[in-house]
Amino acid sequence: MEKSNIIKYDQKELTKVHDINGTQYDSASEKPNLDGDRLNFYLLILLYIIQGFPLGLSSAFTIILQSKKMVTYEDQATFSIALWPYIMNILWAPIVDALYIQFIGRRKCWLIPLQLLMGLFMFYMACNIVDWLPESGKPNLKMMLIVVLALNVLSSTQDIVVDGWALTMLKKNNVSYTSMCNSIGVLFGIFLGEVCFTLLVSEEFNTKYFRATPGTGGLISMKSFLLFWAVLVMSVTFSVAIFKKEKKNLEDGIEKVSVFQNYKLLWEIIKLPNIKGLTIALLTTRIGFIATESVSILKLIDAGLSKDNIMIMTTVMYVGKFAIPIFITKYITSIKPMSYYLKMTPI
């Protein structure tokens, strides 16, 4: 297969794939069926949960800092830099895609060190969180920003790796389930890092709903919560390294593409008319939510609403976010899933 022909396939050709024995079939006629693919399906969800956790943690720290009334909006704006890696990871995605160690696995050789580093940064944060975010006194925003930013750089890079692995980990007729794995996994990870972290470490929540004695702290300390996640992430990583093998796939027969060629290919893809339209949609679709998603919670806290009540209300919204992907999956497991997204965005 010539590299120059990679982006010249028409839609008909893209529906034709070969299994490992070389048998050709039409993917459009193959109905999704998770039989024999369930372990891969659940593994993908778990990897996406790990990816979403640092995002939730970033939001949780923003809410906790605001509730302590020890930071300004300028400080909050500075801390929001920690989320930039998710916007900018396309800049290093071609490097992740082009450089790999074949005998370890194209995706595993990136996933393993990335998640081990994530676990180590969580462990480091757990050991220092009491000093960085004290009950009274000014928090150490600089160190919190550095560590959370590092976590999000690793997490956003892990996003590139898992998205790529999902295309070959699942059977061809089940590839459409990757969007469901992403939606549920990342959302659940954010929920655990934001809502669960905020409520479980809150003394007010523990006192009000579990009738604990004032002064006993939350149901769990920040240090214990972060240590648990550090151990969990490293345990999952070692399990994947030892027990999970990457499948031989269609990419094995393709000549290895250099980093420069990958950037060139990315630029050629960006210039495609359909990609230009999709880019405009993705860059504009969230504009209407800017105010409600970035500032409203901080303003509610300033107005006197407790962070615990905000998180309880947020939990109700997460129930809807978890349920919707499950119900709409049957509509988007088609050959043109993005058409539904583009139709719903204006509404």
Side-chain angles (χ1 to χ4, degrees):
M1 185 183 296
E2 295 291 335
K3 295 190 293 296
S4 59
N5 292 332
I6 290 177
I7 62 173
K8 295 181 181 179
Y9 287 154
D10 59 20
Q11 187 65 49
K12 184 177 178 181
E13 286 297 316
L14 285 173
T15 64
K16 295 180 180 179
V17 295
H18 295 76
D19 63 20
I20 198 169
N21 298 315
T23 305
Q24 181 175 313
Y25 63 92
D26 190 341
S27 63
S29 64
E30 291 284 341
K31 293 183 178 180
N33 186 346
L34 285 176
D35 290 344
D37 233 359
R38 295 191 185 278
L39 286 178
N40 291 328
F41 177 78
Y42 294 129
L43 175 60
L44 279 176
I45 291 178
L46 181 58
L47 293 177
Y48 279 121
I49 288 173
I50 292 173
Q51 178 192 134
F53 180 75
L55 265 175
L57 205 61
S58 304
S59 299
F61 284 139
T62 298
I63 294 167
I64 292 172
L65 286 168
Q66 192 69 20
S67 68
K68 289 180 178 292
K69 302 186 184 302
M70 295 177 182
V71 294
T72 64
Y73 279 93
E74 290 181 2
D75 293 330
Q76 293 283 17
T78 301
F79 193 75
S80 69
I81 294 173
L83 296 175
W84 285 13
Y86 290 94
I87 305 170
M88 303 173 65
N89 63 357
I90 191 174
L91 298 178
W92 59 86
I95 298 174
V96 175
D97 195 55
L99 302 179
Y100 56 91
I101 303 173
Q102 186 67 46
F103 76 92
I104 297 177
R106 181 170 188 169
R107 312 302 176 184
K108 281 178 64 177
C109 71
W110 281 97
L111 183 77
I112 294 168
L114 284 171
Q115 290 195 173
L116 286 177
L117 285 172
M118 287 173 66
L120 289 173
F121 271 104
M122 289 179 192
F123 180 81
Y124 179 65
M125 181 184 290
C127 294
N128 293 278
I129 193 64
V130 175
D131 297 325
W132 295 347
L133 192 58
E135 286 297 323
S136 59
K138 191 170 179 64
N140 190 339
L141 278 179
K142 181 179 179 181
M143 285 307 303
M144 289 183 64
L145 174 60
I146 291 172
V147 175
V148 174
L149 177 63
L151 266 177
N152 285 333
V153 169
L154 295 169
S155 176
S156 63
T157 309
Q158 189 251 29
D159 173 36
I160 300 168
V161 176
V162 177
D163 284 349
W165 198 1
L167 298 176
T168 56
M169 185 184 295
L170 296 176
K171 297 175 183 176
K172 288 297 178 183
N173 58 313
N174 290 328
V175 166
S176 55
Y177 278 109
T178 57
S179 61
M180 182 179 176
C181 294
N182 185 302
S183 298
I184 294 176
V186 173
L187 270 177
F188 192 56
I190 294 173
F191 175 78
L192 292 172
E194 180 184 18
V195 177
C196 293
F197 178 77
T198 303
L199 293 179
L200 292 177
V201 303
S202 171
E203 181 176 341
E204 293 83 0
F205 180 78
N206 190 18
T207 304
K208 183 176 180 180
Y209 292 97
F210 295 92
R211 299 183 179 180
T213 305
T216 57
L219 289 168
I220 187 173
S221 67
M222 290 187 186
K223 180 178 181 178
S224 298
F225 192 90
L226 292 170
L227 281 176
F228 168 79
W229 269 93
V231 173
L232 176 65
V233 170
M234 288 192 279
S235 298
V236 170
T237 305
F238 283 122
S239 297
V240 170
I242 296 170
F243 300 110
K244 181 61 184 174
K245 306 296 181 184
E246 284 197 52
K247 295 178 182 177
K248 288 187 176 181
N249 54 70
L250 296 175
E251 297 172 346
D252 293 339
I254 301 175
E255 183 181 347
K256 190 172 180 179
V257 180
S258 69
V259 174
F260 175 76
Q261 290 169 323
N262 244 1
Y263 277 108
K264 185 178 178 181
L265 178 60
L266 176 62
W267 180 244
E268 293 297 323
I269 292 172
I270 290 173
K271 291 193 295 183
L272 294 174
N274 287 341
I275 297 300
K276 289 180 180 178
L278 179 60
T279 301
I280 293 172
L282 294 176
L283 288 174
T284 58
T285 185
R286 306 302 296 175
I287 289 177
F289 301 91
I290 290 174
T292 57
E293 291 187 349
S294 60
V295 182
S296 60
I297 291 180
L298 305 183
K299 288 294 186 180
L300 287 171
I301 292 174
D302 285 346
L305 193 62
S306 73
K307 68 180 187 305
D308 298 336
N309 288 334
I310 291 174
M311 289 297 99
I312 292 171
M313 289 189 292
T314 303
T315 301
V316 177
M317 291 187 284
Y318 270 106
V319 172
K321 291 179 180 180
F322 292 141
I324 288 173
I326 296 173
F327 288 111
I328 69 170
T329 294
K330 64 179 180 180
Y331 299 107
I332 63 172
T333 53
S334 64
I335 197 64
K336 297 180 179 179
M338 286 305 299
S339 62
Y340 294 98
Y341 177 83
L342 295 176
K343 289 175 183 177
M344 291 301 297
T345 295
I347 299 173

